[in-house]
């Protein structure tokens, strides 16, 4: 496969002879709108928030993870686009490799693009992200309802975004799923269990 040029940074950072992460970028399925949040115990523990946009996964690293409380604004730092089949990746990236550490699929599901212009016309995810504000409704196992991704400051090489729960029926300041729901939605395992199992499934 020639490879999607949008994934060249993803590929250039990884040695696929050493990491179990997917290299292909082959379509996982056509035309869907999946989201995935992976918990990643790398140099610093963080969550990777990924949205399917035009056949790849747009990605942000969220140090504190997502919140269900609209008062909590969570820093989200853009990272390289990932291939769609990364959404199913769970395992151990060897120490010394890019992103070395354990990954679990912390939440996953589908999302809806809720972006409209001031005339009420549909706005594509790419256009919304380009403009620095994207509204999505998540249908995950842990996270549901409306979330905003808003670009704020750092507009140079290191733009920063905020991931914010919007106020709706799923907003809940008492929940803290990052702490209380640590298991993978794919395998039921914790980070520690996946680390102990190694790369084997
Ligand atoms: Mn990561």
């Amino acid at each position: 496969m020639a490879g999607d040029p949008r994934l060249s940074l993803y590929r250039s950072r990884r040695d696929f002879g050493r990491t179990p992460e997917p290299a292909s970028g082959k379509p996982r399925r056509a035309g869907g709108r999946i989201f995935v949040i992976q918990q990643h115990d790398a140099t610093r523990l963080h969550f990777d928030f990924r949205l399917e946009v035009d056949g790849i996964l747009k990605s942000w690293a969220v140090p504190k993870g997502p919140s269900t409380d609209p008062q909590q604004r969570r820093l989200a730092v853009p990272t390289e686009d990932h291939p769609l089949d990364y959404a199913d990746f769970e395992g151990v990236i060897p120490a010394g490799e890019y992103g070395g550490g354990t990954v679990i699929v912390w939440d996953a599901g589908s999302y809806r693009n809720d972006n409209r212009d001031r005339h009420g016309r549909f706005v594509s995810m790419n256009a919304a992200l380009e403009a620095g504000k994207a509204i999505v409704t998540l249908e995950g196992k842990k996270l549901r309802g409306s979330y905003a991704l808003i670009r704020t400051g750092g507009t140079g090489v290191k733009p920063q975004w905020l991931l914010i729960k919007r106020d709706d029926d799923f907003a809940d300041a008492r929940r803290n799923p990052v702490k209380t729901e640590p298991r993978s939605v794919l395998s039921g395992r914790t980070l520690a269990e996946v680390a102990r199992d190694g790369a084997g499934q």
Side-chain angles (χ1 to χ4, degrees):
M1 180 177 285
D4 187 325
R6 294 173 298 176
L7 297 173
S8 58
L9 184 55
Y10 170 86
R11 283 190 296 262
S12 72
R13 286 176 163 171
R14 289 167 176 83
D15 177 352
F16 295 105
R18 295 184 58 82
T19 179
E21 296 165 288
S24 67
K26 65 172 179 279
R28 185 169 171 272
R29 65 194 171 99
R33 286 204 180 276
I34 61 162
F35 86 93
V36 64
I37 301 172
Q38 280 150 319
Q39 192 177 13
H40 186 183
D41 188 12
T43 310
R44 288 181 188 167
L45 185 66
H46 63 276
F47 291 76
D48 289 297
F49 181 74
R50 311 189 197 280
L51 295 172
E52 178 181 357
V53 178
D54 291 348
I56 48 98
L57 294 172
K58 302 300 287 184
S59 299
W60 293 259
V62 183
K64 291 184 175 176
S67 179
T68 54
D69 178 358
Q71 300 301 317
Q72 296 289 321
R73 297 160 165 244
R74 293 293 162 85
L75 176 67
V77 180
T79 58
E80 75 273 22
D81 295 343
H82 278 50
L84 264 192
D85 49 0
Y86 204 92
D88 295 322
F89 175 70
E90 182 166 291
V92 178
I93 302 168
E97 298 305 301
Y98 182 76
T102 309
V103 176
I104 62 168
V105 177
W106 183 80
D107 198 14
S110 61
Y111 79 92
R112 188 178 69 216
N113 171 1
D114 291 328
N115 297 290
R116 297 286 184 277
D117 68 14
R118 62 182 180 276
H119 306 293
R121 289 178 299 221
F122 180 78
V123 174
S124 73
M125 282 300 297
N126 266 327
L129 292 170
E130 195 73 26
K133 184 181 179 189
I135 308 294
V136 294
T137 296
L138 303 181
E139 285 285 343
K141 297 232 170 66
K142 296 173 183 172
L143 300 186
R144 288 174 174 273
S146 186
Y147 278 80
L149 270 165
I150 297 167
R151 190 170 57 215
T152 167
T155 48
V157 284
K158 284 273 178 192
Q160 294 188 342
W161 294 63
L162 295 172
L163 176 64
I164 307 168
K165 179 76 191 79
R166 298 174 81 223
D167 200 5
D168 63 12
D169 288 349
F170 298 102
D172 188 344
R174 295 162 304 180
R175 277 186 73 202
N176 187 8
V178 161
K179 287 284 188 311
T180 62
E181 300 175 52
R183 290 183 179 276
S184 164
V185 297
L186 201 61
S187 67
R189 295 180 297 175
T190 61
L191 271 172
E193 287 165 358
V194 171
R196 196 182 56 212
D197 294 348
Q201 297 302 308

